[in-house]
Amino acid sequence: MAPSKKLGILERLNNGEVVIGDGGYVFALEKRGYVKAGPWTPEATVEHPEAVRQLAREFLRAGSDVMQAFTFYASDDKLENRGNKAQELHSGAAINEAACIIAREVANEGDAMMAGGVSQTPTYLDTRDKAKVQAEFRKQMDVFMKNNVDFMIAEYFEHVEEAVWAVEAIKEFNVTVAANLCIGPEGDMHGVSPGECAVQLANAGAEIIGVNCHFDPFISIETVRLMKAGLDKADLKAHLMVQPLGFHTPDCSKQGFIDLPEFPFGLEPRIITRWDAHRFAREAYNAGIRYIGGCCGFEPYHVRAIAEELQLERGELPAGSEKHDLWGKGLMLHTKPWVRARAHRAYWEKLKPASGRPYCPSVSESDQWGVTAGDKMLHQQKEKTTNEEIKTLIEHQETNQ
C-alpha cells in the first residue's frame, strides 16, 4: 500500500500503512563536525542550519515519511548543564524554533510529516520533581505548537516515570504522541518491565508506543514484542514503533550502548550493514510494528534499505533508489568479474562481514556502575565538570573493574 500523502500519522497507521522514520542526527552531525560529543545538544539548528537541512534532505530522499525536528536534548536545563553555553548563547526557544523551521521546510519538499520531539531531562535525574520536569517540556511545547507540528515524539527516556510525565504534558496541547523509551528487554532503569512500561504510556495517552536508541535493531524488536504482550494482556491498543541504534550491541547491559567501553568514539566496527537494515525492516514488520525508523548510527542508506525491503508493502521505492539497484544489481556494471559475481541477493544475505581487526574481540564487557535517577553520582549542575571530579570518577572506575 503506497503511503497516503496528506494524511496524518494516525490515519496512516490506522490504514495499515508502514511509516518510515528518519535516522540519527546526533551521531551523524557529530561525525561531520556540527554537534559536540558529551552534551549532544542541537544548537547546530542555529549555528549551522545548512548542515541540519542537508541531512534531513538525505533522509527524505532515502524514504523517510517523517522529518523530526532536531530538538534532542533541547530542554533549557540540558542546554545549560555542566558548563554548556547553548542556552546562554542562543536559548532553548531559538534552538527549537530553528529546528521546526528546518524540519517543516524539508518535509514540504517531499510532502512528509513533521514531528517535534522532547527527551529526558537533567531535572528528572537531579530532582524527580514532576512539576519542574513538566515545566521543561511545556516550554518546548509552546514552540512546537506555534510551529504547527503534525505530531509529537517523546523519546529517549530511561525511566518510564519521566516518559509518562512527558506524555501527560504533551497531551495538554491536544496533539498525537509517539512515546519511546530507550530500554531493552530488562525494562527501565527502575526495574519496570517493558510490558508494564507500555501499559503506563498507553494509560497516559500515548497513541504510538515503542523504543528508540540504546540497543541494536534486533534487541529493540524483542523489547517491542514484550511491550505488545503487556498491552494485549491489559486489553489496551496502541500502534507500535521502533527506532533502534545502527550498531550491533549483543553484549550490552541494561543501560545499553552507553555502558560499552567503545562509546562514543569507537563504535564504528559495530555499524550495521544495509543488509542488516533489510533484515531489521522485515522482522519489525513481521512483529506487527508499522512505524519503523532509526536512531544513533542510522544513516540515510540504512533508511533507504528499510524502504527497499518494504517496497511491496508500501507500493513504491524512494528517490534514493535511483542510484541503488536492489541487492547489488548495480555491480553487474563493474569491470571486475569477481565483483560482478556478487550481483545477487543470496551473496549479500549470506555474507558474514569481517572487521579487519584481528587483535580485537568480537564483544566487550560493559561498565555496570548501577546508578540511576536519585543516586548522588547523577547529581546535575550548571557549573563545568572539574578535573578533580574526573579524577574521582576515574578512581571509582578503576576500583570497580
Side-chain angles (χ1 to χ4, degrees):
M1 181 185 297
S4 302
K5 304 302 182 184
K6 303 296 185 182
L7 294 182
I9 183 66
L10 290 183
E11 289 84 357
R12 297 186 193 199
L13 292 172
N14 288 337
N15 286 343
E17 297 176 19
V18 177
V19 172
I20 297 181
D22 52 17
Y25 283 81
V26 175
F27 268 45
L29 290 171
E30 190 278 329
K31 290 177 179 178
R32 299 178 187 190
Y34 300 106
V35 165
K36 187 172 186 176
W40 306 107
T41 46
E43 57 270 21
T45 61
V46 175
E47 297 174 351
H48 300 284
E50 73 289 347
V52 180
R53 186 178 295 108
Q54 176 59 29
L55 182 56
R57 283 178 173 148
E58 291 176 22
F59 285 129
L60 182 70
R61 179 174 170 79
S64 296
D65 296 311
V66 179
M67 293 293 102
Q68 184 175 344
F70 183 35
T71 56
F72 176 76
Y73 271 168
S75 57
D76 286 358
D77 59 344
K78 179 63 177 177
L79 295 170
E80 61 183 10
N81 193 49
R82 292 198 170 275
N84 192 346
K85 297 297 183 183
Q87 174 69 9
E88 177 184 330
L89 294 173
H90 306 296
S91 83
I95 291 169
N96 284 280
E97 175 84 14
C100 288
I101 291 171
I102 293 168
R104 178 61 75 189
E105 175 188 342
V106 177
N108 287 345
E109 291 175 6
D111 201 19
M113 294 172 282
M114 190 270 270
V118 300
S119 49
Q120 64 184 6
T121 64
T123 296
Y124 178 80
L125 290 178
D126 210 27
T127 70
R128 292 185 69 181
D129 185 307
K130 182 176 182 178
K132 291 180 179 178
V133 171
Q134 289 190 325
E136 293 293 333
F137 297 139
R138 291 188 186 103
K139 283 186 283 186
Q140 288 185 270
M141 285 303 301
D142 287 338
V143 178
F144 296 138
M145 298 312 295
K146 173 186 173 184
N147 284 274
N148 298 310
V149 297
D150 295 316
F151 68 101
M152 283 296 303
I153 300 176
E155 66 175 3
Y156 198 78
F157 287 93
E158 296 172 310
H159 307 88
V160 69
E161 180 179 57
E162 187 182 15
V164 165
W165 295 351
V167 172
E168 290 174 349
I170 293 168
K171 295 305 289 185
E172 293 172 6
F173 295 82
N174 194 29
V175 62
T176 299
V177 184
N180 286 333
L181 302 176
C182 52
I183 64 172
E186 294 183 56
D188 86 342
M189 294 306 295
H190 284 148
V192 183
S193 71
E196 176 58 26
C197 285
V199 168
Q200 291 187 29
L201 292 171
N203 285 333
E207 294 93 345
I208 307 165
I209 292 171
V211 297
N212 81 298
C213 207
H214 272 210
F215 294 90
D216 72 30
F218 308 104
I219 294 174
S220 295
I221 291 172
E222 176 58 28
T223 305
V224 177
R225 285 196 181 103
L226 295 171
M227 288 180 144
K228 183 178 186 301
L231 292 169
D232 290 344
K233 185 177 180 180
D235 198 24
L236 293 169
K237 302 295 183 183
H239 294 289
L240 302 176
M241 177 177 181
V242 63
Q243 298 206 119
L245 294 175
F247 305 105
H248 289 287
T249 64
D251 43 348
C252 272
S253 60
K254 185 175 182 177
Q255 185 91 26
F257 82 140
I258 62 172
D259 280 1
L260 293 173
E262 299 94 340
F263 177 86
F265 300 127
L267 290 165
E268 284 79 2
R270 295 174 176 266
I271 294 174
I272 67 171
T273 68
R274 66 194 68 196
W275 316 118
D276 292 325
H278 270 267
R279 183 163 69 92
F280 156 63
R282 180 54 55 193
E283 292 189 15
Y285 184 86
N286 290 344
I289 303 168
R290 293 296 179 266
Y291 190 139
I292 305 171
C295 198
C296 299
F298 254 80
E299 295 281 349
Y301 72 94
H302 293 118
V303 173
R304 182 181 63 191
I306 295 172
E308 290 179 345
E309 176 62 31
L310 299 175
Q311 62 167 313
L312 294 180
E313 290 80 3
R314 288 169 51 80
E316 65 177 10
L317 284 170
S321 293
E322 294 172 4
K323 295 292 186 180
H324 186 252
D325 294 338
L326 298 182
W327 293 104
K329 291 293 185 181
L331 298 180
M332 295 171 69
L333 282 69
H334 204 280
T335 57
K336 304 298 188 293
W338 58 89
V339 178
R340 291 199 298 274
R342 301 169 187 164
H344 61 100
R345 179 171 183 160
Y347 177 86
W348 295 108
E349 280 192 321
K350 295 178 181 178
L351 181 70
K352 297 186 184 302
S355 69
R357 297 173 180 270
Y359 303 109
C360 293
S362 59
V363 294
S364 299
E365 184 175 346
S366 293
D367 289 328
Q368 298 189 48
W369 284 26
V371 298
T372 187
D375 193 288
K376 182 179 179 181
M377 293 186 73
L378 279 181
H379 170 71
Q380 303 300 307
Q381 61 193 42
K382 290 185 180 180
E383 296 78 22
K384 289 183 179 180
T385 302
T386 65
N387 290 332
E388 193 61 34
E389 288 176 304
I390 294 297
K391 181 180 178 181
T392 300
L393 293 175
I394 293 172
E395 291 173 351
H396 177 87
Q397 185 178 51
E398 292 174 345
T399 301
N400 287 274
Q401 283 181 341

